Amino acid sequence: MSTKPTEAGSVKEGSYLMIDGEPCKIVEVEKSKTGKHGSAKVRIVGIGVFDNVKRTLIVPADAQVEVPIIEKFVAQVVAKVGDSWQLMDLRNYTTFEVPPQNQIEGDLGEKIEPGIEVEVWDIAGRRKIVRVR
């Protein structure tokens, strides 16, 4: 998996984090004070990038958490194969398919057609079409 470790106390809203093995966009971060017998805790709420499920992580502020490495690149739409889209990576001209279930951001499904260029994010080996260029 392509992730890097970071301290839980240093994450910010709007960044990305692996929660329960799923890449999530952080929407809320709460930090508690250090208690008499313990360390400061961080409560992180994230929404899954691929499945839009809300997840919560509560860990000590100095605990190591995994941050996914997001690879962003441009691809050209080649064809629609069944329900999925076949894309060509414009860096090395290889083709791959993006399945339909939550792999396309928002209402982009209507805007995508063969011949146009799209921005694709590769997160932990899974791909998602994010925007039309």
Side-chain angles (χ1 to χ4, degrees), residues 70-132:
I70 301 173
E71 184 181 350
K72 301 174 184 179
F73 60 94
V74 178
Q76 183 177 15
V77 179
V78 177
K80 184 165 182 134
V81 181
D83 287 341
S84 59
W85 288 100
Q86 185 178 32
L87 304 176
M88 178 176 63
D89 188 344
L90 293 178
R91 299 172 298 178
N92 55 14
Y93 305 111
T94 58
T95 59
F96 59 92
E97 287 188 16
V98 176
Q101 61 275 11
N102 292 326
Q103 305 294 319
I104 298 173
E105 187 72 31
D107 61 345
L108 287 178
E110 295 88 39
K111 297 178 185 176
I112 297 176
E113 58 187 42
I116 64 169
E117 292 182 0
V118 293
E119 183 177 330
V120 179
W121 287 9
D122 188 343
I123 307 171
R126 293 160 62 189
R127 295 184 170 129
K128 180 173 187 168
I129 298 173
V130 179
R131 71 176 59 102
V132 175

Side-chain angles (χ1 to χ4, degrees), residues 50-67:
F50 294 104
D51 57 4
N52 293 323
V53 173
K54 189 175 187 180
R55 292 180 174 83
T56 304
L57 178 67
I58 301 172
V59 292
D62 59 349
Q64 294 291 312
V65 292
E66 297 292 317
V67 175

Side-chain angles (χ1 to χ4, degrees), residues 26-41:
I26 299 172
V27 293
E28 183 182 341
V29 177
E30 281 183 25
K31 295 178 184 175
S32 66
K33 290 184 177 181
T34 304
K36 183 176 178 182
H37 298 289
S39 61
K41 299 280 191 285

Side-chain angles (χ1 to χ4, degrees), residues 3-4 7 23 38 49 69 100 106 111 113 124 126 133:
T3 60
K4 62 181 179 181
E7 280 194 5
V49 174
I69 297 172
K111 297 178 185 176
E113 58 187 42
R126 293 160 62 189
R133 296 200 64 156

